[in-house]
Amino acid sequence: MKLYVLSDIHDNIWALDRALKIVSPENSYLLFLGDFCAPFTLVQLAEGYSGPIHIIWGNNDGDRWLLTEQASTFPHVKIHGEMAEFCLESYRIRASHYPEIAKQFAEAGGVDIVCYGHNHKLHDTVLESGIILLNPGEIMGRFGRSTFLEVDLKTLERNVVEV
């Protein structure tokens, strides 16, 4: 089983299209950490990936009403809100768009993986507590690299995927 962790699309539908050609919905999940921007970007993600999609809001998800309405037409899409805590396979995951909140989630313990976005900076570290703290970077490519993370949910091995 795999978990794809994506963040910060910012309506770069061309980069999202390239990412969707890489991910496989077979035996996998997708976690999106916020900043679609427009609802059509959520639709593109949901149409391009048929596996389970977990979504949290970012600070640039402007029309949350329409984003929610669009998501409701896809049974495999779940919007958690500002933050999320859920289990995939045997792993407990917390997510927030913001690095500061993610750091607090990790310090609180009780989970295996904490994910965040917002600053567009790829980050992968294992804390002394054993908690994995992840930022997949950005799909947008504003800072030159368009990346996401692939997490193996059997071994917890992580791979950076360049789009």
Side-chain angles (χ1 to χ4, degrees):
M1 294 299 289
K2 293 181 182 178
L3 170 63
Y4 300 108
V5 185
L6 286 72
S7 191
D8 295 281
I9 298 169
H10 290 274
D11 289 342
N12 187 336
I13 59 173
W14 304 275
L16 177 57
D17 184 58
R18 291 191 303 272
L20 289 171
K21 289 177 180 169
I22 297 169
V23 299
S24 170
E26 300 291 323
N27 298 315
S28 66
Y29 307 90
L30 192 146
L31 170 59
F32 182 69
L33 300 169
D35 285 0
F36 287 110
C37 291
F40 61 78
T41 306
L42 181 149
V43 171
Q44 181 182 352
L45 178 67
E47 288 177 346
Y49 182 84
S50 60
I53 299 174
H54 295 268
I55 295 170
I56 59 168
W57 294 131
N59 61 305
N60 283 299
D61 291 318
D63 190 343
R64 291 184 181 183
W65 182 84
L66 188 52
L67 282 159
T68 301
E69 185 177 81
Q70 293 291 335
S72 72
T73 67
F74 298 98
H76 64 292
V77 173
K78 177 177 174 90
I79 296 178
H80 292 269
E82 299 285 337
M83 297 170 253
E85 183 168 348
F86 56 95
C87 290
L88 294 178
E89 303 305 305
S90 61
Y91 297 106
R92 296 159 299 171
I93 299 168
R94 283 190 193 128
S96 170
H97 185 66
Y98 298 101
E100 299 81 9
I101 295 172
K103 183 179 177 194
Q104 291 176 6
F105 281 169
E107 289 170 354
V111 294
D112 302 294
I113 302 169
V114 175
C115 301
Y116 67 96
H118 185 61
N119 65 12
H120 300 232
K121 295 178 183 176
L122 183 64
H123 181 85
D124 177 352
T125 190
V126 179
L127 305 176
E128 286 182 26
S129 63
I131 294 171
I132 298 169
L133 184 60
L134 301 175
N135 182 331
E138 60 175 348
I139 294 295
M140 178 188 193
R142 175 177 175 223
F143 295 108
R145 289 182 77 194
S146 181
T147 60
F148 65 89
L149 289 169
E150 177 186 84
V151 180
D152 184 313
L153 291 175
K154 291 183 182 173
T155 65
L156 291 182
E157 179 180 314
R158 286 131 0 247
N159 296 307
V160 176
V161 180
E162 189 106 22
V163 177

